[in-house]
Amino acid sequence: MAHPIVKRFKLALGKYPWLLLVLPALGCVVGGVVASQPNGDPNYTMQGILSYRQQAVSFSQTGADVLRQGQTLTEEVLLADDVIEGVAAGIRVGPEEVAKKARVKFIQPDPEKDPGASPYIEVAYKDGNPRRAKVAVDLLMTLMEEKSLQQNVARLKLITSSVEDRLPEVIGDLRAAERRLENFDRIEGAAILAVQNGSLVGGITNSQQQQRQLRLQLEGLGAQISSLEQRLGLSVDEAYVSSALSADPTVQQLRAQLDQVESERVIQSKRLRDQHPVMQDLQRQRETFEELLTARAREVLLGTGNVRPLEAGGSVQINSNLDPARQRLANALVELQTQQETIQRQLQTAIRTEGELRQQYRTIPNKQLERDRLAQQVALKKALHDQMQTKLVDAEAAEAETVSSLALARPAQLKSKEIPESPSLILLLVAGLGGGLVGALAILAVLGILDGRFQAVPELVASFTEREVAIAGTLPDLVLPGWPEDILPVLVEPSPYGEAYEQFRSQLRQLNDQLAVVLVTSMDNQEGKSVVAYNLAIASARAGKRTLLLELGLRSPSNARALRVALDPEALEEPLQYYSNLSNCVRLVPDVENLYMIPCPGPQPNPAAIIESSEMRQLIADARQRFDFVVVDSTALTGCNDTLLLEPATDGILLVGRPGVTVKSRFNSALDVMTDEDQLSMRLIAGVINGAEGIVADAEVDDELEAVDDELLDPEDLEVLKKARADKKRKSMSDLSSPNWERPAPPPTEPEDERLLPEDAVLR
């Protein structure tokens, strides 16, 4: 079995393999730089001087500017590749050697010591052969003069080509500015002219007259509506509802049946009490007809676009009782209301039109300023076009005046002689390579040791297996397209991940078919314990089991909105009252059949007192009796002991781990405590691995073993894991063949007619 440090080193190596290439290469580069110092042979330094040329006569401004710019030379320009290659060809050495030995220095004389001196350039070359050094300096100065001339010519051509390239764009900008001015006159000229001739003001006046006429019509319609409302005794909305209900034959038939039941109930009440079965039956018939009448009334009103909430059945009876004459008046009232709304919209349109005309009138000064701005742009574009044309003509005239900016001032002469020392190149390269390799290995070892988390699923599998803890499931990381990031991902819709959670549920039942209440927890909140708890409850409910999801993370907000379950606003203030009765807190999950939920009321100041209360113990006991399977989503083990307080009331703990998140030291310590025989109060049912990569519909441990990299686990570890998986599979097959695989229903603790069934739970 490999040492843990070796495994961590391999993980770090797989994550940062580039360190083994970068650091040795960097060491070689450093060694090569140090070894590139001059050797121990005598070196002769030859030196020549180049001066800056001054042009006496210039007939173009561009030519003078090019000559002046050519004097701003740099060492990179003077020792360019073509200059180095020319000198190398002349003295028959390599270009790399010439580049290493050639030097250029720019001298700026002190005006106080030598007032009449001009700046100049010193060109030097260091070589073991003095004759070759002198030839190299002369070639350098000659090629530098030619380089300066080439640069000046290229600079002049660049100016000419730049002007020629830019000129079409400038012409296009000028034409575009002219078109914008023309388009503005075409579009906005009419508005400016409308203000000038008074037609815009006339439009505003006509709109005002139309508004006055529409207001007079509205006053007449309002009087008619008020008169009809007084005669009917109904508002417009009430008249609409009564007319729609009175015209529906189904509503009339249901109302007649309801009247008949009510009459029979009044007759029977003369001789029977309310508790009599006949009276109870009549009361149920009355409630049924009222519900049918109310439902039909909603269908009628919603079908016609009315979404006003309806009251009880008695209100529907009254609203649906209109005679034909009153119904005609109600229809007329609704039509008048429609006409009134139409004229009101016309009035709003006229007001909006007037506002638009007034707004247009107010924008006329801005439009005039915009036209002046466009005209100014045309003038600026025209000035730029004229300047570029002038520059192009001046550049063409400067072609005949182009010369080099440098001139030979002094030929090559001997300056100095020196004998430097050079270190060993091979020794420095080997030292740099070895130092880089050692540094890379040290960094990889430190990175592997510092990362204290489980890096892969096989590590979690090995941790569980070493402590003889069964693995109930290896679950994928849920990635649901379009699912909001701030809502817990749950499998309420068909998904490829559903098969993994179904196998997880089946494997859990195979481990212990008597489980009724399981507690799901983890070391930290980021390991996905709530995702596992929610989706385990969904898988159980879809398997036909009456399932309750009990959310007891009293230190954080509830995730109930993932299942579209509403929270009780009073539960946060009175948590003990909330948990005092199962009927007070149980909720039906609308999207999953057979699934019920008790949401967490929210963060509590003293969660331990709530968990240890008698109300909570009684709640879990009632849930155990009245549901087939209860999943408890608790807080994480790190930072509080809420889960340990809850564990005695459940059948055991499901511990969730996640690769890349779970800290190895804390997780192994918790497993050691839970699997210790002295800790009889802590029952660990199984482990759950969440967030496994590459797993969609298979949570079998064999798949994890097949994915184990030989670099991560030794052959001995693999054999241990395979043997444990084979024993577990044989036990699972024997459990499946047993006739008592389904958990029998628990005996009732109270009369059957007084028990709270999930279907009768109060939904808030």
Side-chain angles (χ1 to χ4, degrees), residues 447-504:
L447 291 175
I449 294 173
L450 292 179
D451 193 356
R453 297 170 297 177
F454 289 104
Q455 297 294 331
V457 172
E459 292 186 359
L460 277 169
V461 174
S463 181
F464 282 123
T465 306
E466 288 173 1
R467 293 160 180 83
E468 298 182 356
V469 177
I471 300 177
T474 302
L475 304 175
D477 191 10
L478 295 186
V479 180
L480 305 179
W483 194 269
E485 294 182 358
D486 58 339
I487 297 179
L488 200 72
V490 294
L491 303 176
V492 295
E493 297 293 338
S495 172
Y497 300 105
E499 183 63 20
Y501 276 92
E502 175 58 25
Q503 293 184 6
F504 169 38

Short mmCIF file of all heavy atoms in Angstrom, two decimals, residues 447-504:
data_model
loop_
_atom_site.label_atom_id
_atom_site.label_comp_id
_atom_site.label_asym_id
_atom_site.label_seq_id
_atom_site.Cartn_x
_atom_site.Cartn_y
_atom_site.Cartn_z
N LEU A 447 2.13 21.05 -2.43
CA LEU A 447 0.75 21.19 -2.88
C LEU A 447 -0.08 19.96 -2.55
O LEU A 447 -1.26 20.07 -2.18
CB LEU A 447 0.72 21.45 -4.40
CG LEU A 447 1.27 22.81 -4.86
CD1 LEU A 447 1.30 22.88 -6.39
CD2 LEU A 447 0.44 23.95 -4.31
N GLY A 448 0.50 18.77 -2.71
CA GLY A 448 -0.24 17.56 -2.38
C GLY A 448 -0.55 17.44 -0.90
O GLY A 448 -1.63 17.00 -0.50
N ILE A 449 0.42 17.86 -0.04
CA ILE A 449 0.20 17.76 1.41
C ILE A 449 -0.81 18.79 1.88
O ILE A 449 -1.66 18.51 2.73
CB ILE A 449 1.55 17.93 2.14
CG1 ILE A 449 2.47 16.75 1.82
CG2 ILE A 449 1.33 18.04 3.65
CD1 ILE A 449 3.87 16.91 2.36
N LEU A 450 -0.77 20.01 1.33
CA LEU A 450 -1.66 21.07 1.79
C LEU A 450 -3.12 20.82 1.43
O LEU A 450 -4.02 21.32 2.10
CB LEU A 450 -1.21 22.42 1.21
CG LEU A 450 0.13 22.95 1.72
CD1 LEU A 450 0.46 24.26 1.06
CD2 LEU A 450 0.10 23.11 3.24
N ASP A 451 -3.38 20.08 0.36
CA ASP A 451 -4.76 19.81 -0.04
C ASP A 451 -5.31 18.66 0.80
O ASP A 451 -5.02 17.49 0.56
CB ASP A 451 -4.82 19.46 -1.53
CG ASP A 451 -6.24 19.48 -2.06
OD1 ASP A 451 -7.19 19.68 -1.27
OD2 ASP A 451 -6.41 19.31 -3.28
N GLY A 452 -6.08 18.98 1.83
CA GLY A 452 -6.58 17.98 2.75
C GLY A 452 -7.94 17.43 2.42
O GLY A 452 -8.60 16.83 3.27
N ARG A 453 -8.43 17.62 1.20
CA ARG A 453 -9.75 17.12 0.83
C ARG A 453 -9.64 15.82 0.03
O ARG A 453 -8.61 15.53 -0.56
CB ARG A 453 -10.48 18.17 -0.02
CG ARG A 453 -10.74 19.47 0.70
CD ARG A 453 -11.24 20.52 -0.25
NE ARG A 453 -10.25 20.83 -1.28
CZ ARG A 453 -10.44 21.69 -2.27
NH1 ARG A 453 -11.60 22.31 -2.38
NH2 ARG A 453 -9.50 21.92 -3.15
N PHE A 454 -10.75 15.08 0.02
CA PHE A 454 -10.83 13.93 -0.88
C PHE A 454 -10.88 14.44 -2.31
O PHE A 454 -11.70 15.28 -2.66
CB PHE A 454 -12.10 13.12 -0.59
CG PHE A 454 -12.05 12.38 0.72
CD1 PHE A 454 -12.75 12.84 1.82
CD2 PHE A 454 -11.31 11.21 0.85
CE1 PHE A 454 -12.70 12.17 3.02
CE2 PHE A 454 -11.26 10.53 2.05
CZ PHE A 454 -11.96 11.01 3.15
N GLN A 455 -10.01 13.92 -3.14
CA GLN A 455 -9.92 14.41 -4.51
C GLN A 455 -10.71 13.57 -5.50
O GLN A 455 -10.97 14.03 -6.61
CB GLN A 455 -8.46 14.46 -4.96
CG GLN A 455 -7.60 15.41 -4.16
CD GLN A 455 -8.02 16.86 -4.34
OE1 GLN A 455 -8.53 17.24 -5.39
NE2 GLN A 455 -7.81 17.67 -3.32
N ALA A 456 -11.11 12.38 -5.15
CA ALA A 456 -11.79 11.51 -6.11
C ALA A 456 -12.72 10.57 -5.35
O ALA A 456 -12.61 10.37 -4.14
CB ALA A 456 -10.79 10.71 -6.94
N VAL A 457 -13.67 10.00 -6.10
CA VAL A 457 -14.63 9.06 -5.52
C VAL A 457 -13.94 7.85 -4.91
O VAL A 457 -14.34 7.40 -3.82
CB VAL A 457 -15.66 8.65 -6.60
CG1 VAL A 457 -16.55 7.53 -6.10
CG2 VAL A 457 -16.50 9.85 -7.01
N PRO A 458 -12.93 7.26 -5.53
CA PRO A 458 -12.29 6.08 -4.91
C PRO A 458 -11.74 6.35 -3.52
O PRO A 458 -11.71 5.45 -2.68
CB PRO A 458 -11.17 5.73 -5.90
CG PRO A 458 -11.65 6.26 -7.21
CD PRO A 458 -12.40 7.49 -6.89
N GLU A 459 -11.30 7.57 -3.23
CA GLU A 459 -10.80 7.86 -1.89
C GLU A 459 -11.93 7.78 -0.86
O GLU A 459 -11.75 7.25 0.24
CB GLU A 459 -10.16 9.25 -1.86
CG GLU A 459 -8.88 9.33 -2.66
CD GLU A 459 -8.19 10.67 -2.49
OE1 GLU A 459 -8.71 11.53 -1.76
OE2 GLU A 459 -7.12 10.84 -3.08
N LEU A 460 -13.11 8.34 -1.21
CA LEU A 460 -14.25 8.23 -0.31
C LEU A 460 -14.69 6.77 -0.15
O LEU A 460 -15.05 6.32 0.95
CB LEU A 460 -15.41 9.07 -0.84
CG LEU A 460 -15.37 10.56 -0.50
CD1 LEU A 460 -16.40 11.31 -1.30
CD2 LEU A 460 -15.57 10.79 0.99
N VAL A 461 -14.68 6.03 -1.26
CA VAL A 461 -15.04 4.61 -1.19
C VAL A 461 -14.09 3.86 -0.26
O VAL A 461 -14.50 3.05 0.58
CB VAL A 461 -15.03 4.00 -2.61
CG1 VAL A 461 -15.25 2.50 -2.55
CG2 VAL A 461 -16.09 4.65 -3.48
N ALA A 462 -12.79 4.15 -0.37
CA ALA A 462 -11.82 3.49 0.49
C ALA A 462 -12.02 3.87 1.95
O ALA A 462 -11.88 3.04 2.85
CB ALA A 462 -10.41 3.85 0.04
N SER A 463 -12.35 5.15 2.21
CA SER A 463 -12.57 5.59 3.60
C SER A 463 -13.75 4.85 4.22
O SER A 463 -13.70 4.43 5.39
CB SER A 463 -12.80 7.10 3.63
OG SER A 463 -12.99 7.55 4.94
N PHE A 464 -14.87 4.70 3.48
CA PHE A 464 -16.01 3.96 4.00
C PHE A 464 -15.68 2.47 4.19
O PHE A 464 -16.03 1.86 5.20
CB PHE A 464 -17.21 4.10 3.05
CG PHE A 464 -17.92 5.42 3.16
CD1 PHE A 464 -18.07 6.24 2.05
CD2 PHE A 464 -18.47 5.84 4.36
CE1 PHE A 464 -18.72 7.44 2.14
CE2 PHE A 464 -19.13 7.04 4.46
CZ PHE A 464 -19.25 7.85 3.35
N THR A 465 -15.01 1.90 3.20
CA THR A 465 -14.76 0.46 3.22
C THR A 465 -13.80 0.07 4.34
O THR A 465 -13.95 -0.98 4.97
CB THR A 465 -14.20 0.01 1.87
OG1 THR A 465 -15.08 0.45 0.83
CG2 THR A 465 -14.08 -1.49 1.80
N GLU A 466 -12.80 0.89 4.60
CA GLU A 466 -11.85 0.59 5.68
C GLU A 466 -12.54 0.51 7.04
O GLU A 466 -12.08 -0.20 7.93
CB GLU A 466 -10.75 1.64 5.71
CG GLU A 466 -9.78 1.55 4.55
CD GLU A 466 -8.81 2.72 4.53
OE1 GLU A 466 -8.89 3.57 5.45
OE2 GLU A 466 -7.98 2.77 3.61
N ARG A 467 -13.64 1.22 7.21
CA ARG A 467 -14.37 1.21 8.48
C ARG A 467 -15.62 0.32 8.42
O ARG A 467 -16.49 0.42 9.28
CB ARG A 467 -14.75 2.63 8.87
CG ARG A 467 -13.53 3.48 9.18
CD ARG A 467 -13.82 4.96 9.08
NE ARG A 467 -12.62 5.74 9.39
CZ ARG A 467 -11.66 6.01 8.52
NH1 ARG A 467 -11.75 5.52 7.28
NH2 ARG A 467 -10.62 6.72 8.87
N GLU A 468 -15.71 -0.48 7.33
CA GLU A 468 -16.82 -1.43 7.15
C GLU A 468 -18.17 -0.72 7.17
O GLU A 468 -19.14 -1.16 7.76
CB GLU A 468 -16.78 -2.51 8.24
CG GLU A 468 -15.52 -3.35 8.19
CD GLU A 468 -15.51 -4.45 9.24
OE1 GLU A 468 -16.48 -4.50 10.04
OE2 GLU A 468 -14.58 -5.25 9.25
N VAL A 469 -18.23 0.41 6.51
CA VAL A 469 -19.47 1.18 6.38
C VAL A 469 -20.01 0.94 4.97
O VAL A 469 -19.30 1.13 3.97
CB VAL A 469 -19.24 2.69 6.60
CG1 VAL A 469 -20.53 3.46 6.38
CG2 VAL A 469 -18.72 2.93 8.01
N ALA A 470 -21.28 0.51 4.88
CA ALA A 470 -21.89 0.26 3.56
C ALA A 470 -22.10 1.58 2.83
O ALA A 470 -22.32 2.63 3.43
CB ALA A 470 -23.22 -0.47 3.73
N ILE A 471 -22.04 1.52 1.51
CA ILE A 471 -22.28 2.68 0.66
C ILE A 471 -23.65 2.50 0.01
O ILE A 471 -23.85 1.61 -0.82
CB ILE A 471 -21.19 2.83 -0.41
CG1 ILE A 471 -19.83 3.00 0.27
CG2 ILE A 471 -21.48 4.01 -1.32
CD1 ILE A 471 -18.67 3.09 -0.69
N ALA A 472 -24.59 3.35 0.39
CA ALA A 472 -25.96 3.21 -0.12
C ALA A 472 -26.10 3.73 -1.54
O ALA A 472 -27.00 3.31 -2.26
CB ALA A 472 -26.94 3.95 0.79
N GLY A 473 -25.25 4.64 -1.96
CA GLY A 473 -25.39 5.15 -3.31
C GLY A 473 -24.24 6.08 -3.66
O GLY A 473 -23.65 6.74 -2.82
N THR A 474 -23.92 6.09 -4.95
CA THR A 474 -22.97 7.05 -5.52
C THR A 474 -23.75 7.90 -6.51
O THR A 474 -24.15 7.42 -7.57
CB THR A 474 -21.81 6.32 -6.21
OG1 THR A 474 -21.16 5.47 -5.26
CG2 THR A 474 -20.80 7.32 -6.76
N LEU A 475 -23.99 9.15 -6.16
CA LEU A 475 -24.95 10.00 -6.86
C LEU A 475 -24.23 11.02 -7.71
O LEU A 475 -23.15 11.52 -7.35
CB LEU A 475 -25.86 10.71 -5.84
CG LEU A 475 -26.60 9.79 -4.87
CD1 LEU A 475 -27.35 10.60 -3.86
CD2 LEU A 475 -27.53 8.86 -5.64
N PRO A 476 -24.84 11.39 -8.86
CA PRO A 476 -24.20 12.37 -9.73
C PRO A 476 -24.44 13.80 -9.23
O PRO A 476 -25.31 14.04 -8.41
CB PRO A 476 -24.90 12.14 -11.08
CG PRO A 476 -26.26 11.66 -10.70
CD PRO A 476 -26.08 10.84 -9.44
N ASP A 477 -23.65 14.71 -9.77
CA ASP A 477 -23.86 16.14 -9.52
C ASP A 477 -25.01 16.61 -10.40
O ASP A 477 -24.94 16.51 -11.62
CB ASP A 477 -22.58 16.92 -9.83
CG ASP A 477 -22.67 18.34 -9.34
OD1 ASP A 477 -23.62 18.66 -8.60
OD2 ASP A 477 -21.78 19.14 -9.68
N LEU A 478 -26.09 17.11 -9.78
CA LEU A 478 -27.28 17.48 -10.54
C LEU A 478 -27.04 18.77 -11.31
O LEU A 478 -26.77 19.82 -10.72
CB LEU A 478 -28.48 17.67 -9.60
CG LEU A 478 -28.95 16.42 -8.85
CD1 LEU A 478 -30.21 16.71 -8.08
CD2 LEU A 478 -29.18 15.27 -9.81
N VAL A 479 -27.11 18.68 -12.64
CA VAL A 479 -27.01 19.85 -13.51
C VAL A 479 -28.30 19.89 -14.33
O VAL A 479 -28.44 19.18 -15.32
CB VAL A 479 -25.78 19.77 -14.43
CG1 VAL A 479 -25.71 21.00 -15.31
CG2 VAL A 479 -24.51 19.63 -13.60
N LEU A 480 -29.27 20.70 -13.87
CA LEU A 480 -30.58 20.77 -14.50
C LEU A 480 -30.63 22.00 -15.39
O LEU A 480 -30.52 23.14 -14.90
CB LEU A 480 -31.69 20.85 -13.44
CG LEU A 480 -31.67 19.72 -12.40
CD1 LEU A 480 -32.79 19.90 -11.40
CD2 LEU A 480 -31.78 18.36 -13.08
N PRO A 481 -30.77 21.85 -16.72
CA PRO A 481 -30.79 23.02 -17.61
C PRO A 481 -31.95 23.95 -17.26
O PRO A 481 -33.09 23.52 -17.06
CB PRO A 481 -30.97 22.38 -19.01
CG PRO A 481 -30.52 20.97 -18.85
CD PRO A 481 -30.86 20.59 -17.45
N GLY A 482 -31.64 25.25 -17.19
CA GLY A 482 -32.66 26.25 -16.93
C GLY A 482 -33.07 26.37 -15.48
O GLY A 482 -33.92 27.20 -15.16
N TRP A 483 -32.48 25.55 -14.58
CA TRP A 483 -32.87 25.61 -13.15
C TRP A 483 -32.16 26.79 -12.50
O TRP A 483 -30.97 26.99 -12.67
CB TRP A 483 -32.47 24.32 -12.47
CG TRP A 483 -33.11 24.15 -11.12
CD1 TRP A 483 -32.61 24.54 -9.92
CD2 TRP A 483 -34.37 23.54 -10.84
NE1 TRP A 483 -33.47 24.23 -8.92
CE2 TRP A 483 -34.57 23.61 -9.44
CE3 TRP A 483 -35.36 22.96 -11.61
CZ2 TRP A 483 -35.71 23.12 -8.83
CZ3 TRP A 483 -36.49 22.47 -11.00
CH2 TRP A 483 -36.66 22.54 -9.63
N PRO A 484 -32.88 27.65 -11.72
CA PRO A 484 -32.23 28.80 -11.06
C PRO A 484 -31.14 28.36 -10.10
O PRO A 484 -31.26 27.34 -9.42
CB PRO A 484 -33.40 29.48 -10.32
CG PRO A 484 -34.63 28.99 -11.00
CD PRO A 484 -34.34 27.61 -11.50
N GLU A 485 -30.07 29.16 -10.04
CA GLU A 485 -28.93 28.80 -9.21
C GLU A 485 -29.23 28.93 -7.72
O GLU A 485 -28.61 28.26 -6.90
CB GLU A 485 -27.73 29.68 -9.56
CG GLU A 485 -27.21 29.46 -10.97
CD GLU A 485 -26.01 30.32 -11.28
OE1 GLU A 485 -25.61 31.11 -10.40
OE2 GLU A 485 -25.47 30.21 -12.38
N ASP A 486 -30.16 29.83 -7.34
CA ASP A 486 -30.44 30.05 -5.92
C ASP A 486 -31.50 29.11 -5.38
O ASP A 486 -31.92 29.26 -4.23
CB ASP A 486 -30.89 31.51 -5.70
CG ASP A 486 -32.12 31.85 -6.53
OD1 ASP A 486 -32.39 31.14 -7.53
OD2 ASP A 486 -32.81 32.81 -6.18
N ILE A 487 -31.99 28.15 -6.16
CA ILE A 487 -33.01 27.20 -5.71
C ILE A 487 -32.39 25.81 -5.73
O ILE A 487 -31.67 25.43 -6.65
CB ILE A 487 -34.26 27.26 -6.60
CG1 ILE A 487 -34.90 28.65 -6.50
CG2 ILE A 487 -35.28 26.20 -6.19
CD1 ILE A 487 -36.14 28.81 -7.36
N LEU A 488 -32.70 25.02 -4.69
CA LEU A 488 -32.15 23.67 -4.56
C LEU A 488 -32.59 22.80 -5.75
O LEU A 488 -33.77 22.75 -6.08
CB LEU A 488 -32.65 23.05 -3.26
CG LEU A 488 -31.86 21.86 -2.72
CD1 LEU A 488 -30.52 22.36 -2.18
CD2 LEU A 488 -32.64 21.17 -1.62
N PRO A 489 -31.68 22.13 -6.45
CA PRO A 489 -32.06 21.30 -7.60
C PRO A 489 -32.77 20.03 -7.15
O PRO A 489 -32.21 19.23 -6.40
CB PRO A 489 -30.73 20.98 -8.28
CG PRO A 489 -29.71 21.11 -7.21
CD PRO A 489 -30.21 22.16 -6.26
N VAL A 490 -34.01 19.86 -7.59
CA VAL A 490 -34.80 18.67 -7.25
C VAL A 490 -35.35 18.07 -8.53
O VAL A 490 -35.59 18.76 -9.52
CB VAL A 490 -35.95 19.03 -6.28
CG1 VAL A 490 -35.43 19.47 -4.94
CG2 VAL A 490 -36.85 20.10 -6.88
N LEU A 491 -35.60 16.75 -8.51
CA LEU A 491 -36.01 16.00 -9.70
C LEU A 491 -37.52 15.87 -9.73
O LEU A 491 -38.08 14.78 -9.69
CB LEU A 491 -35.34 14.63 -9.72
CG LEU A 491 -33.80 14.66 -9.66
CD1 LEU A 491 -33.25 13.25 -9.58
CD2 LEU A 491 -33.25 15.37 -10.88
N VAL A 492 -38.23 17.04 -9.79
CA VAL A 492 -39.69 17.00 -9.88
C VAL A 492 -40.16 16.67 -11.30
O VAL A 492 -41.29 16.25 -11.51
CB VAL A 492 -40.29 18.35 -9.43
CG1 VAL A 492 -40.00 18.59 -7.97
CG2 VAL A 492 -39.72 19.49 -10.26
N GLU A 493 -39.28 16.84 -12.29
CA GLU A 493 -39.58 16.51 -13.68
C GLU A 493 -38.76 15.28 -14.08
O GLU A 493 -37.73 14.98 -13.48
CB GLU A 493 -39.23 17.70 -14.59
CG GLU A 493 -40.04 18.95 -14.31
CD GLU A 493 -41.51 18.80 -14.63
OE1 GLU A 493 -41.84 17.91 -15.46
OE2 GLU A 493 -42.32 19.52 -14.06
N PRO A 494 -39.19 14.54 -15.11
CA PRO A 494 -38.40 13.39 -15.57
C PRO A 494 -36.98 13.81 -15.95
O PRO A 494 -36.79 14.82 -16.62
CB PRO A 494 -39.19 12.89 -16.79
CG PRO A 494 -40.59 13.36 -16.55
CD PRO A 494 -40.47 14.67 -15.83
N SER A 495 -36.00 13.06 -15.50
CA SER A 495 -34.61 13.42 -15.70
C SER A 495 -33.76 12.16 -15.74
O SER A 495 -34.09 11.16 -15.09
CB SER A 495 -34.14 14.35 -14.58
OG SER A 495 -32.75 14.56 -14.66
N PRO A 496 -32.64 12.18 -16.48
CA PRO A 496 -31.74 11.03 -16.48
C PRO A 496 -31.14 10.75 -15.11
O PRO A 496 -30.68 9.65 -14.83
CB PRO A 496 -30.65 11.41 -17.47
CG PRO A 496 -31.07 12.64 -18.13
CD PRO A 496 -32.23 13.21 -17.43
N TYR A 497 -31.15 11.76 -14.22
CA TYR A 497 -30.60 11.55 -12.89
C TYR A 497 -31.55 10.76 -12.00
O TYR A 497 -31.16 10.31 -10.92
CB TYR A 497 -30.30 12.89 -12.22
CG TYR A 497 -29.32 13.75 -12.98
CD1 TYR A 497 -29.74 14.86 -13.70
CD2 TYR A 497 -27.96 13.46 -12.98
CE1 TYR A 497 -28.85 15.65 -14.39
CE2 TYR A 497 -27.06 14.25 -13.68
CZ TYR A 497 -27.52 15.35 -14.38
OH TYR A 497 -26.64 16.13 -15.06
N GLY A 498 -32.81 10.64 -12.37
CA GLY A 498 -33.78 9.97 -11.52
C GLY A 498 -33.44 8.51 -11.27
O GLY A 498 -33.71 7.98 -10.19
N GLU A 499 -32.84 7.83 -12.25
CA GLU A 499 -32.50 6.42 -12.08
C GLU A 499 -31.45 6.24 -10.99
O GLU A 499 -31.48 5.26 -10.23
CB GLU A 499 -31.99 5.86 -13.41
CG GLU A 499 -31.67 4.37 -13.38
CD GLU A 499 -32.91 3.52 -13.11
OE1 GLU A 499 -34.03 4.02 -13.32
OE2 GLU A 499 -32.76 2.38 -12.66
N ALA A 500 -30.50 7.19 -10.88
CA ALA A 500 -29.48 7.09 -9.85
C ALA A 500 -30.10 7.16 -8.46
O ALA A 500 -29.72 6.40 -7.56
CB ALA A 500 -28.44 8.20 -10.03
N TYR A 501 -31.07 8.05 -8.27
CA TYR A 501 -31.70 8.16 -6.95
C TYR A 501 -32.65 6.99 -6.69
O TYR A 501 -32.86 6.62 -5.53
CB TYR A 501 -32.43 9.50 -6.84
CG TYR A 501 -31.53 10.61 -6.45
CD1 TYR A 501 -30.89 11.38 -7.42
CD2 TYR A 501 -31.26 10.89 -5.12
CE1 TYR A 501 -30.03 12.41 -7.06
CE2 TYR A 501 -30.41 11.91 -4.75
CZ TYR A 501 -29.80 12.67 -5.72
OH TYR A 501 -28.95 13.68 -5.36
N GLU A 502 -33.25 6.41 -7.73
CA GLU A 502 -34.07 5.23 -7.52
C GLU A 502 -33.21 4.05 -7.07
O GLU A 502 -33.58 3.28 -6.18
CB GLU A 502 -34.83 4.90 -8.81
CG GLU A 502 -35.65 3.61 -8.75
CD GLU A 502 -36.68 3.61 -7.63
OE1 GLU A 502 -37.10 4.71 -7.23
OE2 GLU A 502 -37.04 2.53 -7.15
N GLN A 503 -32.04 3.89 -7.70
CA GLN A 503 -31.11 2.85 -7.26
C GLN A 503 -30.62 3.11 -5.84
O GLN A 503 -30.43 2.19 -5.05
CB GLN A 503 -29.94 2.77 -8.22
CG GLN A 503 -30.32 2.27 -9.61
CD GLN A 503 -29.12 2.12 -10.50
OE1 GLN A 503 -28.00 2.28 -10.07
NE2 GLN A 503 -29.35 1.82 -11.77
N PHE A 504 -30.41 4.38 -5.51
CA PHE A 504 -30.02 4.75 -4.14
C PHE A 504 -31.10 4.33 -3.15
O PHE A 504 -30.81 3.75 -2.10
CB PHE A 504 -29.77 6.25 -4.11
CG PHE A 504 -29.61 6.84 -2.74
CD1 PHE A 504 -28.93 6.14 -1.74
CD2 PHE A 504 -30.13 8.07 -2.43
CE1 PHE A 504 -28.77 6.68 -0.48
CE2 PHE A 504 -29.99 8.62 -1.17
CZ PHE A 504 -29.32 7.92 -0.19
#
